[in-house]
Amino acid sequence: MFSAILDFTNELAQQTLKDHGLDVLPYIQEQWAILCRAHITEARWFYGGQIPTFDEYIKNAWNSIGSLGGLVLVCFVEADSIVHQFPNCLKDSQLFYRSSLITRLSNDLGTPKAEMERKDIPKEVQSYTIEKGVSEEKARNHVKELISNSWKKINEEILDSRFCRVIVNLSKNMARTAQCIYQHGDGVGTSTGVTEDCIVSSILRPIPI
């Protein structure tokens, strides 16, 4: 898997350099480093028996979900229109951050049972419940409010029109996809069939007219 990732990364970077004169390899390497550091942090929490605070968890978790690296890679795949804009999106915009945050929060709301059964680290709901001394329901409502606020921030960025439509749509669709996948539970790891039914009904089953 590592070899496949390495080959794809190098091929993409070489093609982007050839076509657009921009060396994107450092950006890709940085994203892999960020993701690895985030996973190492979670491993330290796990093996140290540490329960992170809510803020500590969020600060790390929006990176550990891997969405940011995915968005950066897709930007290069769509390089013809956005390759020179995306660095500013990393530095000056909340689009990628908010999209990644929504993806992480949606994932955690949909997968807590399976993750707790395999003794994973506490997620933001558990951290908030312990830290604030509130019920799980109140903690989940707080997380849902964060998702709602993140959508407001994304909409503000869309209205600001600083970035081309491709970048806006990539960020928006990442978050929308995550909410769709995890709205009925873990739509990936322990799917009960809802995700499969959604895909099949959207692509294969004819729409009655």
Side-chain angles (χ1 to χ4, degrees):
M1 187 172 69
F2 177 77
S3 295
I5 291 171
L6 191 63
D7 290 344
F8 171 75
T9 297
N10 287 329
E11 180 182 344
L12 185 61
Q14 290 171 8
Q15 191 64 45
T16 306
L17 181 62
K18 176 183 176 181
D19 294 344
H20 303 280
L22 180 65
D23 183 10
V24 299
L25 190 58
Y27 295 107
I28 300 175
Q29 290 173 332
E30 180 185 17
Q31 292 309 314
W32 279 112
I34 289 172
L35 181 61
C36 288
R37 283 196 294 266
H39 286 169
I40 288 171
T41 296
E42 290 187 351
R44 286 173 176 159
W45 289 340
F46 177 82
Y47 288 107
Q50 180 181 348
I51 299 176
T53 67
F54 183 81
D55 289 341
E56 285 174 338
Y57 179 81
I58 293 295
K59 184 178 179 180
N60 187 70
W62 80 274
N63 285 313
S64 68
I65 193 65
S67 297
L68 182 58
L71 285 169
V72 169
L73 284 174
V74 175
C75 280
F76 301 141
V77 174
E78 297 280 356
D80 285 343
S81 58
I82 62 177
V83 69
H84 291 288
Q85 268 203 339
F86 104 92
N88 292 330
C89 197
L90 281 175
K91 296 185 298 182
D92 304 327
S93 170
Q94 291 203 24
L95 271 175
F96 285 1
Y97 166 67
R98 292 294 176 177
S99 176
S100 298
L101 184 60
I102 290 171
T103 301
R104 165 51 74 190
L105 297 179
S106 299
N107 172 279
D108 286 350
L109 285 178
T111 61
K113 182 178 179 181
E115 290 174 344
M116 290 301 100
E117 286 177 353
R118 62 174 179 258
K119 298 183 174 11
D120 204 342
I121 63 168
K123 308 302 183 182
E124 73 273 357
V125 171
Q126 291 78 27
S127 294
Y128 193 82
T129 299
I130 295 169
E131 184 179 336
K132 302 297 183 181
V134 298
S135 65
E136 180 179 340
E137 181 181 2
K138 287 188 176 180
R140 291 179 66 87
N141 287 338
H142 179 71
V143 172
K144 291 176 182 178
E145 186 177 349
L146 286 180
I147 293 175
S148 178
N149 289 336
S150 291
W151 273 117
K152 291 177 184 178
K153 293 295 183 182
I154 288 177
N155 288 334
E156 288 174 5
E157 293 283 358
I158 293 173
L159 292 174
D160 190 26
S161 300
R162 287 186 298 159
F163 300 102
C164 67
R165 183 56 54 184
V166 175
I167 285 182
V168 169
N169 285 339
L170 286 174
S171 304
K172 181 176 62 177
N173 289 335
M174 174 76 78
R176 292 167 68 189
T177 300
Q179 284 199 280
C180 178
I181 289 174
Y182 295 109
Q183 64 179 323
H184 299 296
D186 187 350
V188 178
T190 58
S191 176
T192 56
V194 176
T195 303
E196 179 183 354
D197 290 344
C198 180
I199 294 173
V200 170
S201 64
S202 299
I203 299 175
L204 299 179
R205 291 175 187 160
I207 301 174
I209 298 177

